[in-house]
């Protein structure tokens, strides 16, 4: 692989006519926004383009995930967007394109640096990089492109909330709004809408909150029963693990979620200086410093909870 | 009163040495951010400055509401920030300064246009205007000023979420981040922290949700018992009324909150095209098109709920 810059990426895209864009599995706003921003921009140059994903694009992205019926033929120029690792494109596309990806545009720290590689880890979203590539292709940003890029940036930053945001993130958002991004409607869909089932699950989960360590640690439990009664699906769980960390004074929050086999998925979220990853490693898990996880088998649940609490108590000592 | 521009406001501030800044009652991030951004900036010019409010500044604003011990004497130059109407500064300051305010900087549509008046209604926050005034005073933006202005802009836009945001809002945010605004910590305090009691109240309230009109209307109830059991205070209620509108598919959400006298404060939140204000006027209330309210007396609660639902059904017909 070669590290390349935005101009080289733009040149490669301009040189090719049949372009297939790969997005990552469980597609989120950034991979979908990156894929479709590129699709809408390349179509303005008269290219044949298709965005694919091993999972369906969730309905709520329908305002950007459209105009996607081109036939790129058997030998397209293959681009991966927001894909840190080829493993993330799913078996179906991996079998076909494992060694066929020509260009990778991404922002993940964990990027495996395959293909001609434009990975800028200081960007809050891959859409920030796609913005520069589209500018370098000399394509004017229209509403479709602006909506797509805004979606990726807003969703990957929690609406400009996370530490990954930079001054440049806001400068790009300003330009996208000037080019017609319907930011208010996008934000409403992405941040202000939850299913009634999800709300019911939140309510049930909040009722299980136990506070420990003088209010610095919160435990929360989500049972299979709660999930069944609320009618929520597996994918809805990601957000709920962030809930107990929001309780005033909490530095470590742990959510125990019962899975179909009766075991528990443990999700830990922390604030500085608590290293969640380090704590989870005690149980064979891992992750990031402020968000990590491990698994507790049902037989060992109570014992492991005690052990976990004792480790957290030690970590919190003197803070 | 005279309508003035940022340059004239800057000149007036530069010409005076003892400056008293009035903020509105129940102070929020925008009035506190505006007041203290101006204080920190004016102090850099060697001025004697004090920010006052009829209510205490909430503790969570401590990172900007400091360095506030100057004695501005008996005859200061009086500035009101984010104050639409003198009634909002509270009886104590009103008695003293009703006719003494020299400069008003604000962004509210309802601004009563008193004093030398710099009211720009297209700005998402008064802090956007204060930013321009500080620039026009030729004071360099330091971390204290940047933190103050970012606080006002972020809190008044729900972290860049509301329709009031413009490209310029993001351009200013970018500049504030470049000048040291600790946006991540500010956002954590303002948006990612809730009391355990508030969470418990949310959980209890969510369990009362009734869906009507094929899922387009949600009713939610908050009783005095729930409020007592959760240990929340009156001020904590503002946010909860926004909760049921977030339910997928809901166009009109109504929260019935029992007050100490046993009556119910009715808060309506809607999405386009439902006019909450128009509906609430049927019950002697009013407000904005997407957020309005009225009061139901306890004896008439059930009867009024029926009447309200019937009005909402009519409004939703054909949507």
């Amino acid at each position: 692989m070669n590290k390349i810059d935005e101009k080289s990426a733009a040149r490669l895209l301009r040189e090719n006519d049949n372009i297939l864009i790969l997005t990552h599995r469980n597609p989120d706003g950034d991979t979908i926004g990156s894929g479709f921003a590129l699709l809408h921009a390349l179509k303005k140059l008269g290219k044949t383009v298709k965005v694919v994903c091993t999972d369906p694009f969730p309905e709520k992205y329908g305002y950007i995930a459209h105009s996607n019926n081109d036939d790129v033929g058997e030998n397209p120029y293959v681009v991966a967007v927001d894909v840190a690792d080829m493993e993330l494109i799913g078996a179906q596309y991996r079998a076909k394109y494992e060694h066929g990806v020509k260009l990778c545009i991404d922002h993940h720290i964990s990027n495996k640096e395959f293909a001609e590689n434009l990975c800028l880890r200081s960007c809050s979203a891959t859409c920030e990089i796609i913005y520069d590539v589209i500018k370098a292709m000399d394509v004017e940003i229209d509403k479709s492109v602006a909506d797509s890029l805004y979606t990726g940036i807003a969703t990957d930053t929690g609406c400009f909330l996370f530490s990954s945001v930079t001054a440049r993130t806001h400068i790009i958002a300003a330009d996208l709004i000037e080019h017609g991004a319907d930011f208010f409607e996008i934000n409403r869909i992405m941040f202000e809408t939850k299913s009634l089932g999800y709300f019911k699950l939140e309510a049930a989960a909040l009722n299980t909150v136990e506070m420990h360590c003088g209010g610095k640690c919160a435990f929360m439990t989500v049972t299979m029963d709660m999930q069944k009664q609320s009618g929520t699906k597996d994918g809805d769980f990601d957000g709920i693990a962030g809930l107990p960390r929001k309780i005033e004074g909490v530095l470590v929050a742990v959510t125990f979620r019962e899975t179909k086999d009766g075991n528990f998925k443990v999700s830990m979220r922390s604030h500085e200086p608590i290293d969640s990853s380090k704590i989870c490693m005690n149980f064979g898990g891992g992750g990031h410093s402020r968000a990590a996880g491990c698994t507790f088998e049902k037989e060992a649940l109570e014992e492991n909870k005690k052990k976990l609490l004792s480790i957290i108590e030690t970590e919190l000592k003197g803070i």
Side-chain angles (χ1 to χ4, degrees), chain A:
Chain A
M1 76 100 199
N2 285 309
K3 288 195 184 186
I4 60 170
D5 64 9
E6 294 90 333
K7 280 185 190 153
S8 303
R11 188 180 41 75
L12 289 168
L13 288 163
R14 271 197 163 274
E15 283 170 4
N16 285 280
D17 284 321
N18 293 293
I19 299 170
L20 180 73
I21 301 169
L22 303 176
T23 57
H24 67 69
R25 69 178 177 218
N26 300 322
D28 62 7
D30 198 22
T31 203
I32 296 172
S34 295
F36 282 92
L38 217 43
L39 175 137
H40 298 307
L42 289 167
K43 277 179 168 270
K44 291 181 82 168
L45 293 174
K47 312 273 183 194
T48 302
V49 200
K50 190 161 181 65
V51 182
V52 295
C53 186
T54 191
D55 298 311
F57 299 121
E59 263 179 47
K60 65 178 178 178
Y61 295 101
Y63 63 96
I64 51 175
H66 55 75
S67 314
N68 196 23
N69 298 312
D70 286 2
D71 177 1
V72 294
E74 276 309 295
N75 198 20
Y77 181 77
V78 183
V79 186
V81 292
D82 200 45
V83 175
D85 184 333
M86 281 301 282
E87 195 262 322
L88 297 170
I89 61 166
Q92 172 194 3
Y93 293 109
R94 197 172 178 186
K96 206 158 175 186
Y97 300 113
E98 173 87 64
H99 305 289
V101 179
K102 300 294 184 196
L103 173 63
C104 166
I105 304 176
D106 185 32
H107 78 128
H108 290 97
I109 289 171
S110 54
N111 183 279
K112 289 276 173 61
E113 310 206 331
F114 54 93
E116 298 287 315
N117 191 285
L118 173 59
C119 181
L120 302 177
R121 293 173 173 82
S122 64
C123 287
S124 72
T126 297
C127 276
E128 279 196 27
I129 312 167
I130 301 284
Y131 170 87
D132 285 334
V133 172
I134 291 173
K135 287 268 182 188
M137 289 198 303
D138 215 16
V139 175
E140 210 192 318
I141 291 178
D142 64 9
K143 186 178 182 308
S144 296
V145 174
D147 281 345
S148 304
L149 293 175
Y150 185 91
T151 299
I153 291 173
T155 53
D156 248 31
T157 61
C159 209
F160 307 95
L161 199 138
F162 300 162
S163 59
S164 55
V165 168
T166 64
R168 191 164 158 68
T169 313
H170 282 286
I171 297 280
I172 295 172
D175 195 41
L176 298 176
I177 289 172
E178 276 186 344
H179 285 88
D182 198 355
F183 68 93
F184 178 54
E185 181 62 9
I186 295 170
N187 291 337
R188 191 182 71 74
I189 297 169
M190 298 301 155
F191 304 107
E192 295 282 287
T193 308
K194 296 180 192 176
S195 71
L196 180 60
Y198 181 79
F199 270 123
K200 298 255 172 209
L201 185 64
E202 271 196 2
L206 283 169
N207 282 326
T208 72
V209 167
E210 304 160 30
M211 302 298 289
H212 300 287
C213 308
K216 292 198 181 82
C217 171
F219 279 9
M220 187 172 86
T221 305
V222 182
T223 64
M224 274 311 292
D225 265 2
M226 290 177 193
Q227 294 172 69
K228 272 182 207 155
Q229 277 179 29
S230 67
T232 46
K233 292 174 210 140
D234 263 18
D236 292 347
F237 181 69
D238 291 347
I240 215 164
L243 212 56
R245 184 175 53 183
K246 293 187 183 181
I247 298 169
E248 206 168 9
V250 164
L251 292 175
V252 198
V254 190
T255 303
F256 304 92
R257 176 204 172 203
E258 192 179 6
T259 48
K260 279 176 192 146
D261 53 12
N263 296 326
F264 285 80
K265 197 181 160 203
V266 180
S267 300
M268 184 174 299
R269 301 287 183 271
S270 61
H271 286 305
E272 223 181 327
I274 303 300
D275 188 338
S276 290
S277 176
K278 191 181 129 194
I279 297 174
C280 286
M281 275 183 208
N282 287 286
F283 302 92
H288 305 283
S289 57
R290 307 289 171 250
C294 57
T295 300
F296 285 179
E297 289 186 15
K298 55 187 163 187
E299 296 79 11
L301 177 67
E302 290 312 317
E303 187 193 328
N304 275 334
K305 272 175 107 167
K306 267 184 210 155
K307 192 177 157 194
L308 174 62
L309 189 56
S310 142
I311 293 170
I312 291 173
E313 267 167 3
T314 308
E315 290 293 326
L316 284 170
K317 230 165 236 167
I319 291 176

